[in-house]
Amino acid sequence: MPENPKRNHTAPLSTVAIIGAGIAGIACAIRLANKGYKVTVFEANAYPGGKLSEITVNGYRFDMGPSLFTMPHYVDELFTLSGENPSHYFQYQRLQVNCHYFYEDGTLLHAYAEKEKFAEEVARKTEDSSSTVLSALTHSASLYHLLGDLFTQRSLHRWKTFFQKDAFRAYLSLGKFDFFRTMHVANAARFKDPKLVQLFNRYATYNGSDPYQTPATLNMIPHLEFNVGAFFPSNGMYSITTSLYELACRLGVNFKFNTPVEKIVVNKKKVQGLQLPTAILSFDKVVSNMDVVSTYKKLLTSQPQPHRLLNQPKSSSALIFYWGIQQVFPQLDLHNIFFSNNYQREFDRIFNKKDIDDDPTVYVNITSKYKPDDAPEGCENWFVMINVPNNTGQDWDSLIAAARKNIIEKLNRMLQTDIEKLIACEEILDPRLIESKTSSSLGALYGNSSNNKYAAFLRHANFSGKIKGLYFCGGSVHPGGGIPLCLSSAKIVADNIA
């Protein structure tokens, strides 16, 4: 494989083992390889990507996990860091419409990427004015610029973070952070129309949280879609995984698939290596891209457990139906949301009752709109998802059967169709499978929820304070879940190691 021209050919600084070939593990491997480390990645599955994987069924291709792509420069940066032109290996386009929003009263809002056009759409179809929408997006950008880098690009567990210039700039604007109101309270105060309140409340789900509990600070999230942009990779979301995996291989990273790790070997509070089913291997440093709860409970059983951090409330999970649909729906786009009539009840059922509401908000992602070969001609590949509680031992078979019936009835009603007879094939992903396939504690998609104002500080650090040479990356630790934050965690870890 071609050598990265930036890499020197001296002996590696030291050896690093990474547990898990999720997107954060791969990104961390790339960064460390560029710093001269000899990196080996151990993955229990037969494929890279973790949640960011794919399946193909009867001619329909589905991205199995994350479906929204923002902050593409985080991916590009890994190529440029490695001395390569990102566009030679990974292409994407900015969406002109971020999402179609459907309401039970027949209202359809097109969330145009151009914020002025979106504001005009809102003014035409709701009780809110375009200036209210633009003001909300300006406020979102202001929150992000004050807090984004501080909370996502640096460790919150190093004192020096809080003595940076941007930290002092943030201290001067503490009143703007909105820590003490919930997202819903802030949005209800800003918008007249319940439809807009619900639309902006939806952004709490981007990290598996409840808008009726999570702080209004998370109203920074819309900035990423409307002011920065939402994108679609030309070859689908899984191409993020494959392009970065191939880059890591070109840099000399060694991947060991179908190789579960049984134990992180520690001696005198220092990492010694990994215990595999067939051998014990020595490494100077270990990075766990495995869920932090599973890391401690399965791989560090003899070490002190940070119970307070591990026992924090977990995020929501997902129930996903992958349907091959034998029809084209021109009124649908890449991202589509069919809202519930009672959003507060829906979240109460998820987070408080650990149940699924009879009228769930339904998300439909159709990549064949932008990548036609993802479905046979005249057909579409539907990724149909609802937010559900994490796995605490519910009767999932009964819940799934009821949810499927309710989802189909809702889509039939709002699209004036008969979905059941159009389903050519079906696969299902539920919290139990998410937990077993990805080692995510309770099947939670984002590790901890963000349902209190201290949540950002209650995520596990990207390093161990008690075991020298042990580090953590991925969605279950700082700064959080989702592709951009996972890539940020990889950068924080690589910088800490170096």
Side-chain angles (χ1 to χ4, degrees):
M1 294 182 180
E3 291 278 343
N4 169 22
K6 284 190 172 183
R7 295 183 72 207
N8 61 52
H9 298 277
T10 60
L13 296 174
S14 60
T15 57
V16 181
I18 297 178
I19 304 168
I23 196 69
I26 298 172
C28 190
I30 290 168
R31 289 184 176 278
L32 290 173
N34 274 291
K35 294 177 184 294
Y37 290 85
K38 184 178 181 181
V39 185
T40 306
V41 181
F42 296 87
E43 171 56 54
N45 291 311
Y47 51 86
K51 297 182 183 77
L52 194 56
S53 58
E54 69 174 1
I55 55 170
T56 301
V57 186
N58 296 348
Y60 295 86
R61 190 199 73 86
F62 301 93
D63 289 308
M64 290 201 74
S67 55
L68 176 68
F69 185 39
T70 59
M71 312 293 272
H73 59 278
Y74 283 7
V75 176
D76 289 345
E77 181 182 308
L78 294 168
F79 287 95
T80 55
L81 178 70
S82 306
E84 298 189 355
N85 185 332
S87 65
H88 292 171
Y89 302 95
F90 179 66
Q91 295 83 38
Y92 52 87
Q93 59 179 299
R94 183 172 181 174
L95 302 181
Q96 297 305 303
V97 179
N98 292 337
C99 190
H100 285 186
Y101 291 101
F102 294 81
Y103 299 84
E104 285 281 4
D105 67 358
T107 301
L108 167 58
L109 287 178
H110 299 87
Y112 294 104
E114 185 182 332
K115 58 186 178 182
E116 290 79 12
K117 192 173 180 182
F118 172 55
E120 291 170 4
E121 169 87 347
V122 168
R124 282 196 305 272
K125 296 181 178 180
T126 76
E127 297 175 16
D128 278 294
S129 66
S130 58
S131 61
T132 300
V133 174
L134 294 175
S135 172
L137 295 178
T138 298
H139 174 68
S140 180
S142 174
L143 279 174
Y144 186 84
H145 292 312
L146 281 171
L147 294 174
D149 283 352
L150 182 64
F151 277 79
T152 67
Q153 299 297 307
R154 300 186 182 94
S155 172
L156 292 183
H157 304 85
R158 301 284 193 195
W159 282 110
K160 66 178 183 180
T161 296
F162 299 96
F163 292 93
Q164 305 279 344
K165 283 184 179 179
D166 55 354
F168 284 103
R169 181 164 57 91
Y171 301 152
L172 297 174
S173 304
L174 282 174
K176 298 179 181 179
F177 293 175
D178 233 350
F179 283 134
F180 300 102
R181 291 194 298 176
T182 66
M183 176 182 276
H184 172 73
V185 167
N187 288 332
R190 182 179 294 277
F191 299 107
K192 294 179 184 176
D193 198 313
K195 295 184 180 68
L196 263 292
V197 176
Q198 190 172 28
L199 192 157
F200 278 84
N201 278 354
R202 186 179 82 85
Y203 288 98
T205 67
Y206 280 36
N207 66 4
S209 300
D210 175 357
Y212 301 90
Q213 297 184 60
T214 199
T217 315
L218 289 189
N219 277 323
M220 71 173 73
I221 297 174
H223 164 73
L224 301 181
E225 276 190 33
F226 289 100
N227 298 317
V228 179
F231 300 81
F232 180 73
S234 300
N235 290 314
M237 293 294 288
Y238 190 56
S239 66
I240 300 172
T241 293
T242 55
S243 64
L244 293 181
Y245 166 67
E246 290 164 1
L247 171 60
C249 290
R250 290 195 296 275
L251 294 172
V253 175
N254 186 16
F255 286 84
K256 302 286 188 182
F257 295 107
N258 297 308
T259 309
V261 173
E262 293 186 343
K263 182 179 180 181
I264 297 172
V265 181
V266 178
N267 185 34
K268 295 180 180 178
K269 299 184 179 181
K270 186 179 186 305
V271 156
Q272 301 294 306
L274 301 179
Q275 180 177 318
L276 308 180
T278 57
I280 295 178
L281 303 179
S282 295
F283 289 94
D284 299 310
K285 301 178 190 301
V286 170
V287 180
S288 180
N289 180 213
M290 189 178 184
D291 183 284
V292 70
V293 175
S294 298
T295 299
Y296 276 98
K297 291 187 175 180
K298 296 179 180 179
L299 307 184
L300 292 165
T301 54
S302 62
Q303 300 301 314
Q305 307 280 303
H307 295 292
R308 181 165 176 260
L309 297 182
L310 300 185
N311 293 334
Q312 289 300 307
K314 297 295 176 276
S315 78
S316 57
S317 187
L319 173 60
I320 307 172
F321 297 92
Y322 306 94
W323 288 339
I325 299 291
Q326 295 177 304
Q327 184 176 313
V328 172
F329 285 77
Q331 68 269 49
L332 300 181
D333 202 72
L334 175 65
H335 302 295
N336 310 273
I337 293 287
F338 297 82
F339 275 123
S340 65
N341 254 336
N342 191 328
Y343 218 32
Q344 187 163 7
R345 185 185 68 194
E346 181 181 359
F347 282 96
D348 178 61
R349 294 285 290 273
I350 292 170
F351 284 96
N352 299 324
K353 297 182 173 61
K354 300 295 182 181
D355 197 2
I356 303 174
D357 193 66
D358 294 339
D359 176 30
T361 295
V362 180
Y363 167 64
V364 179
N365 173 249
I366 310 172
T367 60
S368 58
K369 295 288 188 183
Y370 284 73
K371 188 175 178 290
D373 62 352
D374 278 355
E377 187 174 354
C379 302
E380 294 180 338
N381 63 332
W382 283 24
F383 168 115
V384 181
M385 187 194 92
I386 60 172
N387 295 305
V388 301
N390 52 51
N391 179 27
T392 55
Q394 297 94 324
D395 180 357
W396 284 107
D397 292 337
S398 297
L399 288 175
I400 290 166
R404 186 182 188 277
K405 175 178 175 291
N406 291 330
I407 289 168
I408 287 175
E409 288 180 355
K410 186 180 187 75
L411 293 174
N412 285 348
R413 183 171 66 251
M414 298 179 79
L415 291 174
Q416 295 295 296
T417 189
D418 184 355
I419 292 293
E420 185 79 64
K421 70 179 183 181
L422 301 176
I423 300 175
C425 60
E426 176 180 85
E427 295 289 330
I428 302 174
L429 185 65
D430 64 60
R432 297 167 301 181
L433 284 172
I434 292 170
E435 187 170 13
S436 63
K437 284 175 176 286
T438 67
S439 294
S440 300
S441 178
L442 307 183
L445 289 182
Y446 304 94
N448 295 351
S449 75
S450 294
N451 287 341
N452 72 71
K453 54 183 171 290
Y454 306 111
F457 301 96
L458 293 172
R459 284 185 173 272
H460 197 289
N462 301 105
F463 59 91
S464 170
K466 297 185 181 298
I467 302 172
K468 186 177 180 181
L470 178 60
Y471 301 84
F472 303 88
C473 66
S476 68
V477 295
H478 177 71
I483 295 171
L485 296 187
C486 284
L487 294 177
S488 290
S489 78
K491 183 177 188 301
I492 292 169
V493 167
D495 290 345
N496 268 272
I497 289 176

